[in-house]
Amino acid sequence: MEASERTAAVFFVGNRLMLDDGVGPAAYDEILAGYDIPENVTLVDVGCMSLDMLPYVERCDLILTVDAVDSTGDAPGTVYRFEPDAMARHSGPEASLHDLKLVDLFDAASLMGYEAEGFCLGMQVGNPSPEQFVVGLTPECAAALPLLVETVVAELHRRGFPLQKK
């Protein structure tokens, strides 16, 4: 299959009203503002990952998620790249269909015969759960946002989906 026939989707996960949990949507905004998006790349501000994303796994060759990461012990603003299997699957009575991880989505998709390559990019956050609704990022995450955006763009380019600066 030629690169021009391949398709990719990028899911920007997070809640804009929960400070650093909104790092995914913040990266979405920056990429839309700064880059021309080719027709074979779909960017989606998904809020939370859910089974509503299954059609993308069915029709895309590559799925990338961009999300907040917590409890790594590293400084806020640290950017990570990891495979979906590196994330714990949701299970047990507290599992919610509205709070899936990419690996959970791929597990469901494989049961339906769908298959796509996937990986995750994340940023260690400083405060993902503020006591009040707050739009924006902590200073450390705001300062590292350009690195996260560059990482998303570079990963897409490396896999044959180049974005051009506006």
Side-chain angles (χ1 to χ4, degrees):
M1 181 179 292
E2 292 182 27
S4 62
E5 296 174 12
R6 297 180 67 232
T7 58
V10 184
F11 300 151
F12 296 87
V13 181
N15 185 340
R16 293 175 183 273
L17 300 175
M18 298 297 289
L19 204 58
D20 287 346
D21 187 56
V23 73
Y28 170 85
D29 292 343
E30 292 294 314
I31 291 173
L32 278 184
Y35 293 86
D36 291 321
I37 310 303
E39 288 185 23
N40 64 337
V41 175
T42 302
L43 306 182
V44 185
D45 182 353
V46 300
C48 64
M49 185 72 71
S50 74
L51 290 177
D52 291 342
M53 304 298 112
L54 273 173
Y56 290 99
V57 182
E58 177 183 17
R59 70 177 183 256
C60 291
D61 301 294
L62 175 70
I63 305 290
L64 164 64
T65 61
V66 181
D67 199 357
V69 177
D70 199 12
S71 302
T72 65
D74 291 328
T78 303
V79 174
Y80 299 91
R81 181 197 178 282
F82 46 94
E83 300 295 324
D85 282 336
M87 302 172 70
R89 288 169 168 80
H90 279 75
S91 62
E94 304 221 354
S96 167
L97 292 178
H98 298 287
D99 189 25
L100 299 179
K101 302 217 181 290
L102 186 60
V103 68
D104 299 314
L105 181 67
F106 281 174
D107 286 348
S110 70
L111 292 173
M112 299 178 74
Y114 306 156
E115 188 175 308
E117 176 187 9
F119 66 98
C120 309
L121 294 173
M123 179 187 291
Q124 171 60 52
V125 296
N127 186 344
S129 302
E131 291 182 22
Q132 299 177 355
F133 291 127
V134 180
V135 176
L137 302 174
T138 58
E140 298 86 357
C141 288
L145 186 61
L147 174 60
L148 180 60
V149 167
E150 289 173 15
T151 304
V152 172
V153 171
E155 285 287 350
L156 285 169
H157 183 82
R158 187 168 75 87
R159 291 175 166 10
F161 301 97
L163 305 184
Q164 300 298 319
K165 279 194 173 246
K166 289 186 176 181

